[in-house]
């Protein structure tokens, strides 16, 4: 099955391949949000454990799928070889830091008076969705950049590796969709609207993927920087948003074990399927 999927992606334009892969990651978010139609009220333990899993997947993907290939494909030795990854990683974190300060949003489990970004009269539902949208920008970018590397003929960037990253991101998008939809439902929104807001948070992923693939295709030397940029952005999201959200209640141990499980899952996927 995996071989057939790889063959399909090898025979289409890499930019289109990046788009298709991130349509899958969006669909997983939509699937998670769709559980609002089936489950009345999931426990806080389940939500925190799944959110911890999300963080583990993102951290593992940042190293195994992004930073390690970025270092491997950089020229030179020692200090020179690691500098593109270091610079890209720092720029990616700063990019998300800037978005976090500018884009109006509200983290899960926070009161409305704790909203961040520029002042706006937007409703809580919109702000919650924008918070998860912040998570998804670097995820889509990461998939697109890897497919762009495939198009450029970089040996360290492979279709298998790109698809493995998309699968891992899809897995962690499932609880993200759920984590958006259910707080909105508990706030009084209809099931249909809760689902629509939940799935819409990942619509940015195909857009970011296409941008990343095109950027690398036009200017191949930026690939190590671009991979590390996506990694830095993802790690910023995990430390700034995901981890604090899982440690606020009484389920911090469960969330931490979920984080470890997510890391192990993504590491196994990348090492076993990504080559």
């Amino acid at each position: 099955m995996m071989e057939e999927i790889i063959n399909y992606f090898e025979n289409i334009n890499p930019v289109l391949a990046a788009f298709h892969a991130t349509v899958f990651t969006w669909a997983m978010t939509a699937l998670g949000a769709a559980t609002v139609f089936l489950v009345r009220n999931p426990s806080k333990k389940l939500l925190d454990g799944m959110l911890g899993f999300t963080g583990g997947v993102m951290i593992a993907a940042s190293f195994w799928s992004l930073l390690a290939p970025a270092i491997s494909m950089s020229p030179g030795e020692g200090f020179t070889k690691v500098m593109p990854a270091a610079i890209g990683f720092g720029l990616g974190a700063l990019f998300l830091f800037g978005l976090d300060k500018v884009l109006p949003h509200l983290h899960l489990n926070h009161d409305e008076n704790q909203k961040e970004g520029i002042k706006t009269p937007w409703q809580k539902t919109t702000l919650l969705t924008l918070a998860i949208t912040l998570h998804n920008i670097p995820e889509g970018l990461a998939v697109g950049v890897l497919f762009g590397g495939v198009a450029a003929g970089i040996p360290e960037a492979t279709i298998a590796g790109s698809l493995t990253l998309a699968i891992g991101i899809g897995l962690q998008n499932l609880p993200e969709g759920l984590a958006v939809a259910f707080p909105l439902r508990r706030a009084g929104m209809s099931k249909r609207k809760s689902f629509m807001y939940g799935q819409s948070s990942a619509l940015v992923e195909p857009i970011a993927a296409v941008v990343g693939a095109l950027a690398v295709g036009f200017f191949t030397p930026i690939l190590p920087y671009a991979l590390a940029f996506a990694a830095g952005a993802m790690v910023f999201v995990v430390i700034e948003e995901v981890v604090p959200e899982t440690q606020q209640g009484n389920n911090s141990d469960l969330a931490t074990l979920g984080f470890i499980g997510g890391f192990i899952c993504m590491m196994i996927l990348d090492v076993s399927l990504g080559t």
Side-chain angles (χ1 to χ4, degrees):
M1 181 66 175
M2 189 64 178
E3 289 183 5
E4 294 175 357
I5 295 174
I6 291 174
N7 288 336
Y8 169 77
F9 277 88
E10 284 178 340
N11 292 315
I12 62 175
N13 182 282
V15 176
L16 184 59
F19 178 78
H20 284 179
T22 45
V23 166
F24 162 75
T25 63
W26 161 80
M28 292 297 287
T29 305
L31 182 62
T35 57
V36 76
F37 294 108
L38 304 174
V39 180
R40 187 176 184 87
N41 190 20
S43 69
K44 185 70 166 57
K45 284 185 177 182
L46 176 63
L47 291 175
D48 285 343
M50 294 180 76
L51 201 57
F53 178 88
T54 292
V57 170
M58 292 177 72
I59 291 293
S62 296
F63 176 74
W64 296 101
S65 298
L66 300 171
L67 275 177
I71 294 170
S72 178
M73 68 180 62
S74 297
E77 297 293 337
F79 183 80
T80 302
K81 189 173 183 65
V82 78
M83 282 311 296
I87 293 170
F89 189 87
L91 290 175
L94 288 174
F95 173 72
L96 256 291
F97 174 79
L99 279 183
D100 187 68
K101 296 303 179 186
V102 174
L103 184 68
H105 63 283
L106 178 66
H107 298 311
L108 297 171
N109 305 317
H110 284 198
D111 295 328
E112 199 160 356
N113 59 5
Q114 294 177 291
K115 57 188 178 183
E116 300 180 11
I118 60 175
K119 301 298 182 183
T120 175
W122 293 349
Q123 294 181 341
K124 182 178 180 179
T125 52
T126 302
L127 296 173
L128 282 169
T129 304
L130 286 173
I132 301 298
T133 300
L134 273 175
H135 295 199
N136 293 324
I137 293 173
E139 294 167 8
L141 184 65
V143 175
V145 165
L146 271 181
F147 274 107
V150 173
I154 305 298
E156 291 84 358
T158 65
I159 290 290
S162 304
L163 289 175
T164 299
L165 177 61
I167 291 170
I169 289 174
L171 285 176
Q172 61 94 33
N173 274 2
L174 187 70
E176 277 193 358
L178 187 151
V180 176
F182 277 98
L184 299 180
R185 178 62 179 155
R186 284 198 296 268
M189 186 173 285
S190 70
K191 291 181 180 180
R192 180 178 174 276
K193 284 189 175 181
S194 298
F195 166 74
M196 293 302 295
Y197 274 96
Q199 62 82 30
S200 67
S201 64
L203 288 175
V204 70
E205 287 192 3
I207 299 171
V210 169
V211 170
L214 287 173
V216 172
F218 281 119
F219 192 45
T220 305
I222 71 168
L223 182 56
Y225 296 91
L227 288 171
F229 182 96
M234 288 173 68
V235 170
F236 179 90
V237 165
V238 173
I239 302 304
E240 168 70 11
E241 301 181 18
V242 177
V243 171
E245 286 164 14
T246 63
Q247 302 297 310
Q248 286 186 4
N250 299 319
N251 305 315
S252 59
D253 289 344
L254 180 62
T256 301
L257 291 175
F259 184 99
I260 298 299
F263 188 98
I264 292 172
C265 181
M266 187 63 208
M267 179 176 64
I268 291 173
L269 278 175
D270 197 274
V271 175
S272 60
L273 301 178
T275 55

